[in-house]
């Protein structure tokens, strides 16, 4: 079925409840709503059965849910309990096909139905993969007239519940916010499933599909697997001497870190060339080098090596001293930092891959969207400019070896019953490898230049204990640091810290504020606010517990269970 066959496009939303009965837990939909794009009407019903029956008729259609990982559990439970069979071909009535990765993240769920003697499809898609924000944030980004409201989710409501005026208005706003956002996307012809796919399509439209494949050939899986050893994320580091202490903080953020690297640094292209031994540096060439070495950190230098899957070091540990000869896969950019910051010995160069490289492959794309970001008055255009700038590099790093899950009903609960592995064509991993490699080098360069006051960094931001002029400062220029805020901070470990912001800079002027900003995976800020829990430097410590919500699959669907998050 061609994409044009989806003649009707909708957005939809569920509101759900749960309870325990006779030792078993159940969840259900008590209101389901849908609205077709570019219309004002909203349809709703009080249960999932009527919702499915209403949509699985007439023409084939696409239906967007915001966070299909949650709502999709109810749909999948319904289809499995009504004997829909999994079939990728979707060529008969009552079949389903879904893309759900091994972590349970939904991308798409499609169900078939018969209409006018033909097999039609209803495809449910996760709009969060296009707009990676909550509806509350999305409404603010677009500056919609309708802003997301609040509702008491603890109140038990059953199927076909009669909505109060406040509940109806809350539900209406959720539908309208998503419909307006998707209308904006479709008006811009942004229709692919993820923002990364749309960004890549936009890049190809600028340079042409033919030239894209000439620059970025399909690398064989075995070479991609080898190179993936050198693909690492952003640099996140917490200095030991400042850990668990309340310190003065000055925060600087890099303007569009990854777009800067794509725009200004030589990027690889073409089929990689294999070599044995030590790579010989050449003009307009880059490499990934496999070597073995032992190493010790130089005095007053920052570590830059992490060793994954060893019994000696933690995966996220920045290794200072390693007296064992360890396998390393480094870009030549990584190697520059490595030899600059460590005393290296017992070196054995194994092999690697060399790439041709040139600056400017992404200049047209980056300059176009950065200019739009800086100058547009259109809220939707500004939002997509940020998304297009930040998501293009990651799409190049898509893993062609995909692991997905198959599901079945076990005692009425959706459970994973099988894991499937398959492969697809590569895009061009080396671009992602060198984008992040350049970025780590760039961030560590300025952290090192401010070594005596450096406390923390993460990907594109740096925390110093004193203000500095030892970095390039500008509020908007690509690759420059913006002086964001100052105040006090307590860093416990990587990606776990609390900042008390006392002054913020906006439009070149400082404003006095009083903001507490916790950064901690698993911490639910909305829940903290709801239960009136204030986090401060006294209670933000290792071993502290705070309430959180965790998805729990039950008969009929899923619900968010109240649990405790412990800072470890």
């Amino acid at each position: 079925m061609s994409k044009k066959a989806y003649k009707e496009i909708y957005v939809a939303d569920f509101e759900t409840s749960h309870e325990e009965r006779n030792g078993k837990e159940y969840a259900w939909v008590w209101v389901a709503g849908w609205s077709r794009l570019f219309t004002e009407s909203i349809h709703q019903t009080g249960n999932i059965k009527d919702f499915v029956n209403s949509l699985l008729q007439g023409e084939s259609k696409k239906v967007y849910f915001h966070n299909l990982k949650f709502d999709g559990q109810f749909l999948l439970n319904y289809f499995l309990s009504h004997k829909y069979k999994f079939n990728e071909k979707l060529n008969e009535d009552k079949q389903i096909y879904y893309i759900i990765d091994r972590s349970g993240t939904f991308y798409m769920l499609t169900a078939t139905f018969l209409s006018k003697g033909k097999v039609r499809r209803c495809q449910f898609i996760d709009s969060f993969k296009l707009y990676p924000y909550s509806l509350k944030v999305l409404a603010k980004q677009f500056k919609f007239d309708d802003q997301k409201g609040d509702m008491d989710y603890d109140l038990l409501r059953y199927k076909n519940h009669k909505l109060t005026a406040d509940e109806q208005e809350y539900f209406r706003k959720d539908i309208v916010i998503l419909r307006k956002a998707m209308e904006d996307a479709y008006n811009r012809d942004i229709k692919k499933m993820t923002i990364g796919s749309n960004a890549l399509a936009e890049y190809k439209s600028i340079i042409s599909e033919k030239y894209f494949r000439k620059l970025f050939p399909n690398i064989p899986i075995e070479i991609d697997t080898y190179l993936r050893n050198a693909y690492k994320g952003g640099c996140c580091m917490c200095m030991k001497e400042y850990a668990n202490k309340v310190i003065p903080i000055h925060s600087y953020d890099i303007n569009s870190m990854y777009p800067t690297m794509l725009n200004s640094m030589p990027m690889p292209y073409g089929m990689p060339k294999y070599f044995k031994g030590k790579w010989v540096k050449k003009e307009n060439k880059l490499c990934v080098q496999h070597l073995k070495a032992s190493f010790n950190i130089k005095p007053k230098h920052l570590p830059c090596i992490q060793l994954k899957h060893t019994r000696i070091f933690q995966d996220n540990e920045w290794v200072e001293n390693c007296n064992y000869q360890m396998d390393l896969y480094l870009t030549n950019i990584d190697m520059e930092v490595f030899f600059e910051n460590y005393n290296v010995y017992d070196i054995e160069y194994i092999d690697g891959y060399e790439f041709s490289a040139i600056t400017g492959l992404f200049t047209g794309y980056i300059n176009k969207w950065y200019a739009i970001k800086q100058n547009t008055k259109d809220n939707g255009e500004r939002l997509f400019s940020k998304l297009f700038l930040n998501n293009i590099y990651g799409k190049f790093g898509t893993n062609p070896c995909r692991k997905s899950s198959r599901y079945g009903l076990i005692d009425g609960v959706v459970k994973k019953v099988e894991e499937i592995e398959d492969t697809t064509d590569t895009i061009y991993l080396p671009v992602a490898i060198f984008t992040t490699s350049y970025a780590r080098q760039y961030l560590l360069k300025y952290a090192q230049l401010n070594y005596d006051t450096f406390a923390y960094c993460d990907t594109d931001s740096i925390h110093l204990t004193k203000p500095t002029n030892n970095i390039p400062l500008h509020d908007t220029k690509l690759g420059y640091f913006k002086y964001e805020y100052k105040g006090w901070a307590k860093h416990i470990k990587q990606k776990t810290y609390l900042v008390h912001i006392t002054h913020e800079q906006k439009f070149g002027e400082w404003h006095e504020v009083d903001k507490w900003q916790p950064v901690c995976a698993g911490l639910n800020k909305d829940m903290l606010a709801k239960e009136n829990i204030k986090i401060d430097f006294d209670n933000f410590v290792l071993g502290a517990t705070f309430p959180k919500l965790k998805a729990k699959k039950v008969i009929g669907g899923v619900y968010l269970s109240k649990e405790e998050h412990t800072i470890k």
Side-chain angles (χ1 to χ4, degrees):
M1 178 179 287
S2 69
K3 294 181 179 179
K4 293 181 180 178
Y6 293 102
K7 296 181 179 180
E8 300 177 7
I9 314 296
Y10 293 83
V11 298
D13 189 30
F14 290 161
E15 295 298 342
T16 64
S17 279
H18 70 278
E19 69 175 351
E20 183 179 336
R21 305 176 202 148
N22 301 319
K24 295 182 178 180
E25 291 185 292
Y26 297 82
W28 58 88
V29 174
W30 57 264
V31 63
W34 63 100
S35 180
R36 189 171 178 177
L37 263 58
F38 306 106
T39 70
E40 296 295 325
S41 59
I42 298 176
H43 309 275
Q44 67 184 60
T45 184
N47 59 81
I48 192 170
K49 180 180 179 180
D50 290 345
F51 171 83
V52 171
N53 289 340
S54 296
L55 286 172
L56 269 62
Q57 60 176 305
E59 300 289 348
S60 293
K61 50 185 67 71
K62 288 185 178 181
V63 184
Y64 288 89
F65 278 87
H66 207 59
N67 190 12
L68 192 63
K69 185 174 184 177
F70 183 87
D71 301 88
Q73 291 291 341
F74 291 88
L75 290 166
L76 187 54
N77 192 294
Y78 177 88
F79 290 128
L80 290 175
S81 64
H82 286 76
K83 310 303 181 185
Y84 281 67
K85 302 298 183 182
F86 184 91
N87 188 341
E88 292 185 35
K89 295 181 179 180
L90 295 171
N91 55 5
E92 295 181 10
D93 185 29
K94 296 190 71 172
Q95 293 180 337
I96 55 172
Y97 171 65
Y98 46 77
I99 300 175
I100 306 173
D101 69 20
R102 63 190 305 183
S103 69
T105 298
F106 278 67
Y107 288 84
M108 173 274 289
L109 166 62
T110 302
T112 60
F113 60 96
L114 285 178
S115 178
K116 299 178 182 179
K118 294 183 178 180
V119 176
R120 313 282 188 178
R121 301 178 183 181
C122 186
Q123 186 179 70
F124 302 97
I125 307 172
D126 191 0
S127 55
F128 193 83
K129 302 297 182 296
L130 189 62
Y131 290 113
Y133 308 99
S134 68
L135 286 179
K136 185 175 183 178
V137 171
L138 196 58
K140 290 181 178 179
Q141 292 271 3
F142 273 104
K143 299 182 180 178
F144 289 147
D145 292 335
D146 287 295
Q147 295 290 310
K148 186 172 174 63
D150 295 302
M151 186 170 65
D152 183 4
Y153 282 100
D154 294 330
L155 181 65
L156 186 62
R157 302 171 179 88
Y158 291 100
K159 294 177 183 178
N160 302 310
H161 167 77
K162 185 177 180 180
L163 276 68
T164 66
D166 287 343
E167 290 169 343
Q168 186 65 62
E169 180 63 5
Y170 173 91
F171 190 62
R172 182 195 70 81
K173 285 182 177 180
D174 277 8
I175 296 283
V176 170
I177 290 168
L178 184 55
R179 187 186 70 211
K180 287 182 177 179
M182 290 310 305
E183 287 172 351
D184 190 273
Y186 268 70
N187 279 331
R188 301 179 195 282
D189 201 32
I190 297 173
K191 300 176 182 178
K192 292 187 179 293
M193 194 176 299
T194 67
I195 190 61
S197 296
N198 283 286
L200 185 63
E202 162 67 9
Y203 177 65
K204 288 180 178 179
S205 74
I206 292 174
I207 70 168
S208 82
E209 178 75 35
K210 182 178 180 180
Y211 190 47
F212 179 89
R213 268 303 158 209
K214 184 176 180 180
L215 286 171
F216 308 119
N218 183 22
I219 295 175
I221 293 291
E222 60 272 17
I223 298 179
D224 182 276
T225 301
Y226 177 103
L227 296 174
R228 206 161 284 276
N229 291 303
Y231 186 24
K232 304 174 181 69
C235 176
C236 182
M237 186 182 301
C238 180
M239 293 296 280
K240 296 175 183 177
E241 52 265 47
Y242 294 121
N244 295 299
K245 297 176 182 177
V246 179
I247 58 173
I249 207 71
H250 299 263
S251 181
Y252 300 86
D253 282 11
I254 300 169
N255 299 320
S256 299
M257 165 70 99
Y258 291 140
T260 297
M261 301 303 115
L262 286 168
N263 189 54
S264 60
M265 304 303 292
M267 284 291 155
Y269 67 92
M271 192 62 71
K273 180 181 178 182
Y274 180 76
F275 64 88
K276 288 187 176 182
K278 182 180 180 181
W279 179 65
V280 179
K281 186 175 182 180
K282 308 180 188 75
E283 190 175 358
N284 299 324
K285 299 291 183 180
L286 299 170
C287 88
V288 167
Q289 172 81 64
H290 176 205
L291 69 152
K292 294 182 179 182
S294 306
F295 49 91
N296 298 117
I297 196 74
K298 294 178 181 178
K300 298 195 73 174
H301 279 72
L302 295 172
C304 61
I305 295 294
Q306 291 179 321
L307 298 171
K308 308 288 186 181
H309 314 302
T310 71
R311 297 179 180 180
I312 306 170
F313 304 102
Q314 295 181 10
D315 283 358
N316 66 344
E317 179 181 353
W318 291 102
V319 180
E320 295 186 351
N321 299 296
C322 180
N323 297 318
Y324 304 89
Q325 193 183 45
M326 302 299 289
D327 262 309
L328 301 172
Y329 290 82
L330 305 176
T331 69
N332 58 297
I333 310 304
D334 295 328
M335 290 179 66
E336 290 176 9
V337 184
F338 178 52
F339 283 99
E340 190 174 306
N341 289 16
Y342 292 93
N343 294 309
V344 184
Y345 53 99
D346 296 336
I347 306 173
E348 181 182 352
Y349 293 97
I350 310 299
D351 58 7
Y353 282 93
E354 181 182 78
F355 307 88
S356 296
I358 192 172
T359 303
L361 291 178
F362 293 88
T363 298
Y365 177 91
I366 299 298
N367 286 348
K368 172 186 173 178
W369 287 103
Y370 199 71
I372 290 172
K373 177 185 174 184
Q374 296 302 114
N375 300 312
T376 185
K377 304 297 181 183
D378 182 316
N379 295 317
E381 190 173 48
R382 176 173 171 77
L383 177 59
F384 277 115
S385 69
K386 292 190 289 185
L387 291 171
F388 275 23
L389 284 168
N390 293 328
N391 285 275
I392 181 66
Y393 95 90
K395 188 62 180 176
F396 279 84
T398 300
N399 195 331
C401 300
R402 301 182 298 189
K403 295 181 180 181
S404 58
S405 302
R406 299 289 179 265
Y407 292 86
L409 278 183
I410 300 177
D411 297 327
V413 181
V414 173
K415 296 285 188 179
K416 185 187 299 184
V417 296
E418 186 181 8
E419 278 200 349
I420 306 295
E421 295 188 19
D422 64 353
T423 59
T424 186
D425 287 344
T426 59
I427 297 176
Y428 195 75
L429 174 63
V431 164
I433 290 175
F434 281 91
T435 300
T436 57
S437 182
Y438 284 127
R440 290 190 300 275
Q441 180 191 49
Y442 190 79
L443 188 67
L444 283 169
K445 171 185 175 180
Y446 290 105
Q448 185 67 55
L449 285 172
N450 293 276
Y451 183 88
D452 291 334
T453 61
F454 170 63
Y456 185 88
C457 69
D458 190 354
T459 309
D460 61 355
S461 64
I462 188 169
H463 290 178
L464 305 177
T465 59
K466 294 180 180 179
T468 183
N469 290 317
N470 204 16
I471 54 178
L473 290 169
H474 196 277
D475 285 355
T476 60
K477 286 183 179 179
L478 271 173
Y480 282 64
F481 287 78
K482 181 180 179 181
Y483 192 176
E484 290 275 353
Y485 61 79
K486 52 189 175 183
W488 299 86
K490 185 178 186 180
H491 303 87
I492 292 180
K493 59 179 183 177
Q494 294 164 331
K495 298 188 182 297
T496 305
Y497 62 89
L498 175 64
V499 175
H500 180 205
I501 303 173
T502 59
H503 295 82
E504 280 183 335
Q505 185 176 197
K506 291 184 178 180
F507 306 111
E509 294 183 359
W510 286 99
H511 302 270
E512 191 171 336
V513 296
D514 182 19
K515 294 182 179 180
W516 290 85
Q517 185 173 292
V519 174
C520 181
L523 211 59
N524 189 304
K525 296 178 184 178
D526 290 338
M527 195 168 184
L528 293 174
K530 180 181 178 181
E531 300 198 9
N532 200 28
I533 298 174
K534 183 178 180 181
I535 295 181
D536 56 30
F537 292 132
D538 291 329
N539 62 12
F540 192 75
V541 295
L542 283 170
T545 59
F546 300 97
K548 71 173 183 177
L549 296 173
K550 184 177 180 180
K552 183 178 183 180
K553 294 179 184 179
V554 296
I555 298 170
V558 65
Y559 76 93
L560 297 178
S561 173
K562 289 184 179 179
E563 299 185 6
E564 284 190 337
H565 173 74
T566 302
I567 300 178
K568 298 179 180 180

